[in-house]
Amino acid sequence: MAHKRNANDVAVDEPYLQIGEVAERTGVTQRTLRFYEEKGLLKPPTRMEGGFRLYSEADIQRLERIRHLKQLLGFPLAEIKEMVEADEVKMQLRAEYRPEAEASEKRAQILKAIEVTERQHELICQKATAIADMQSKLEERLGTFRGWLADLESTPKTAPKTKANV
Amino acid sequence: MAHKRNANDVAVDEPYLQIGEVAERTGVTQRTLRFYEEKGLLKPPTRMEGGFRLYSEADIQRLERIRHLKQLLGFPLAEIKEMVEADEVKMQLRAEYRPEAEASEKRAQILKAIEVTERQHELICQKATAIADMQSKLEERLGTFRGWLADLESTPKTAPKTKANV
DNA sequence: CCTAACCTTGACGTTTAGGTGAGTTTGGGG
DNA sequence: CCCCAAACTCACCTAAACGTCAAGGTTAGG
């Protein structure tokens, strides 16, 4: 067991949050938090001795990243999971960059990270162009409509409502 | 034979397609087509006397629009439905633009169309900026990684055997 | 020590978006 | 006229992503 003394023993300097607070703060339900944990999207948070979950700031950021990806891409959670895991690898690499390890190993890790990131980037790019497409199409339509409106205003058939006409 | 009629016994030269052909051509299943119809995403297509569905080119375009929106935005079908319906209103307006009707009525319709389109546009814009955000973040990361890689290449720990070093 | 508020683990329910037959009709070529 | 591929309508099933109790354990405050 992990010797983690938190609630009573040691005043926590880090802001650990219980599940309810996290739920309230992030707008997801407690069920969703447990569900994501169960599904491996969130890694099991630390717990108090009694078993209450304690979420760190990092946990919350991860959660918000998940929410973001989910509502942005609309992918199933399984894929979101992979993306977040890839992210995690990158973060880990970031943390382990300082220690001077074997150069070749580091190189391999970085290459892997680049590969993963490129895949994600390409995916996002596709979405981006598709969205931009749709955006410009909508703008074009708006232009058309506004043109029609202007036409109607300038060549009125029914009595125009200008002062001149009264 | 090439003699096809729709429900009103009108001979059609237009390429009407049966459900199987539509499915094959668009990549969705027949079930999905019937399901979308049931849910009001696709309006009931014309039928042969026997009850076989006959999809017009317009029907197919609508379907493809639905597919596009779905995979682009990842919204639930209920919302996609609303968007497609809004689109339909616009198309309808487009068709009814030529006949000279009451100017005020037309004005109202156009205003409505503009409103609807603006709503969609705003939605898309949000997505677009969010995506762009993520895109640039990923690019930044890629830059960082490539930088690290370059560092590794330029300051090797294991004895480099470049000419300069000999 | 007691209690209210909060958390835990199940377990079952719900909605969305279809998949998968089964059994029956229809369409059109031979 | 016959036949088989293709369509039709139910009806039931699934998987994902949670929602919703139920029955109990934990924490913090008094």
Side-chain angles (χ1 to χ4, degrees), chain A residues 141-142 144-150 152-153 161, chain B residues 89-90 93 97 103-119:
Chain A
R141 269 189 198 173
L142 269 176
T144 308
F145 288 147
R146 294 206 166 107
W148 291 359
L149 205 62
L152 274 188
E153 301 286 327
K161 294 161 251 163
Chain B
V89 168
K90 292 187 306 189
L93 195 153
Y97 183 63
S104 61
E105 198 180 316
K106 277 164 65 174
R107 215 181 85 93
Q109 274 203 304
I110 295 178
L111 281 174
K112 172 119 198 243
I114 288 182
E115 192 190 334
V116 165
T117 308
E118 265 173 350
R119 213 178 79 67

Side-chain angles (χ1 to χ4, degrees), chain B residues 6-122:
Chain B
N6 68 12
N8 290 333
D9 201 33
V10 179
V12 251
D13 48 346
E14 250 187 282
Y16 273 77
L17 297 184
Q18 281 185 235
I19 196 170
E21 305 173 281
V22 175
E24 199 178 340
R25 175 185 288 200
T26 63
V28 309
T29 67
Q30 301 187 13
R31 178 77 224 284
T32 299
L33 283 164
R34 300 198 187 99
F35 181 71
Y36 283 2
E37 181 183 337
E38 187 180 313
K39 288 285 167 182
L41 276 130
L42 294 172
K43 53 185 189 197
T46 54
R47 307 249 188 157
M48 306 199 242
E49 296 124 42
F52 283 28
R53 270 161 259 245
L54 287 177
Y55 292 92
S56 71
E57 208 51 46
D59 289 331
I60 292 167
Q61 282 191 22
R62 179 155 176 166
L63 170 63
E64 254 152 18
R65 186 142 183 74
I66 291 169
R67 298 287 299 169
H68 194 186
L69 284 172
K70 188 169 144 52
Q71 83 99 184
L72 201 67
L73 306 178
F75 290 174
L77 290 186
E79 292 189 33
I80 303 284
K81 180 187 169 188
E82 284 182 34
M83 303 189 83
V84 178
E85 273 170 359
D87 264 33
E88 208 69 3
V89 168
K90 292 187 306 189
M91 301 299 195
Q92 191 184 332
L93 195 153
R94 218 176 192 117
E96 285 169 8
Y97 183 63
R98 304 299 267 164
E100 293 298 319
E102 305 262 341
S104 61
E105 198 180 316
K106 277 164 65 174
R107 215 181 85 93
Q109 274 203 304
I110 295 178
L111 281 174
K112 172 119 198 243
I114 288 182
E115 192 190 334
V116 165
T117 308
E118 265 173 350
R119 213 178 79 67
Q120 282 188 28
H121 183 252
E122 201 175 326

Side-chain angles (χ1 to χ4, degrees), chain A residues 33-141:
Chain A
L33 284 164
R34 300 198 187 98
F35 180 70
Y36 284 0
E37 181 182 339
E38 187 181 311
K39 287 286 165 179
L41 276 129
L42 294 173
K43 53 185 190 198
T46 54
R47 306 248 188 160
M48 306 199 239
E49 295 118 46
F52 284 27
R53 268 161 259 242
L54 285 177
Y55 292 92
S56 71
E57 207 52 46
D59 291 331
I60 291 168
Q61 280 189 25
R62 179 155 177 165
L63 170 63
E64 251 152 20
R65 184 143 183 76
I66 290 169
R67 298 289 298 171
H68 195 184
L69 283 172
K70 189 168 143 53
Q71 83 98 207
L72 201 67
L73 305 178
F75 290 175
L77 288 185
E79 292 190 34
I80 303 285
K81 179 187 170 189
E82 285 182 34
M83 302 189 84
V84 178
E85 273 170 0
D87 263 33
E88 209 69 2
V89 169
K90 293 185 306 188
M91 302 299 195
Q92 191 184 332
L93 195 153
R94 217 173 193 121
E96 284 168 9
Y97 183 64
R98 303 300 266 165
E100 294 297 320
E102 304 261 343
S104 61
E105 198 179 317
K106 276 164 66 174
R107 216 182 83 93
Q109 274 204 305
I110 294 179
L111 281 174
K112 173 119 199 240
I114 287 181
E115 193 189 334
V116 165
T117 309
E118 265 172 351
R119 213 179 78 66
Q120 280 187 32
H121 182 250
E122 200 176 327
L123 224 151
I124 297 291
C125 280
Q126 271 172 249
K127 281 258 174 192
T129 58
I131 288 248
D133 245 47
M134 165 155 287
Q135 205 174 354
S136 63
K137 242 177 239 171
L138 283 176
E139 272 157 21
E140 189 204 322
R141 269 189 198 173

